[in-house]
Amino acid sequence: MQIRDAILGKLLADSSGNVLPMAAMTVVVMAAIVGGGVDMSRAYKVQNRLQNACDSGVLAGRRAVTNAGFNAAAQAQADQYFHINFDQNQQGTHGTTFLVASDTAGNSIGGKASTQMPMLMMQIFGKGDMTLTASCASTMGVGNSDITMVLDVTGSM
């Protein structure tokens, strides 16, 4: 019993083998940092693509508005442009939705898109899917126009 306690005491007091546990903990920390960077860069790319698709969808829907207002044809045009610009298979996402709403005249159209992006590296640490959303709007507006008339009395023009 005393021999075993003496051996354990020497083993616990010995600092010559500390490199392996420190290296193992460093690998875990580096995997978390690199994995978080990889997944966040993917999320940034997908978020940017989702925002662009949302914007193009509402712009196409607003352009398709006729005298009948925001009808099924304008809705279909908005959906088509969104899905052309955001392919969830290419982005590696799932559960993508695109909702468009408008007032009855179709002067203003708002949209909201969302998708689920599965984590690649952070799954090791128990992080599942990340939800990404984008909001967009398009309005019909005619800006103020100022008309200026310039008279050249010198004859130089």
Side-chain angles (χ1 to χ4, degrees):
M1 191 75 157
Q2 286 181 342
I3 296 173
R4 185 174 52 148
D5 290 340
I7 292 173
L8 285 175
K10 283 183 184 179
L11 186 61
L12 290 174
D14 190 8
S15 63
S16 62
N18 288 343
V19 174
L20 184 61
M22 287 191 296
M25 290 205 299
T26 303
V27 167
V28 171
V29 171
M30 289 303 291
I33 291 171
V34 171
V38 167
D39 284 337
M40 290 313 294
S41 67
R42 283 185 58 240
Y44 178 75
K45 183 188 104 172
V46 171
Q47 172 72 32
N48 191 22
R49 184 64 62 117
L50 187 68
Q51 184 67 52
N52 290 339
C54 186
D55 290 339
S56 68
V58 295
L59 287 172
R62 175 60 196 103
R63 190 189 66 190
V65 169
T66 60
N67 292 338
F70 187 72
N71 56 10
Q75 172 77 41
Q77 188 79 3
D79 288 338
Q80 179 184 7
Y81 269 71
F82 175 80
H83 291 294
I84 286 172
N85 286 292
F86 190 83
D87 182 10
Q88 69 179 359
N89 295 327
Q90 184 180 21
Q91 299 301 320
T93 62
H94 60 88
T96 303
T97 59
F98 178 59
L99 304 173
V100 181
S102 175
D103 59 359
T104 54
N107 292 328
S108 175
I109 298 174
K112 185 170 176 109
S114 68
T115 191
Q116 299 286 324
M117 185 191 81
M119 297 295 195
L120 293 178
M121 301 294 288
M122 295 306 288
Q123 285 181 353
I124 298 168
F125 301 102
K127 179 74 174 141
D129 292 352
M130 177 184 276
T131 302
L132 301 170
T133 60
S135 297
C136 47
S138 176
T139 59
M140 172 63 171
V142 178
N144 294 335
S145 298
D146 294 333
I147 299 174
T148 305
M149 186 171 152
V150 178
L151 298 175
D152 183 15
V153 294
T154 63
S156 64
M157 288 188 180

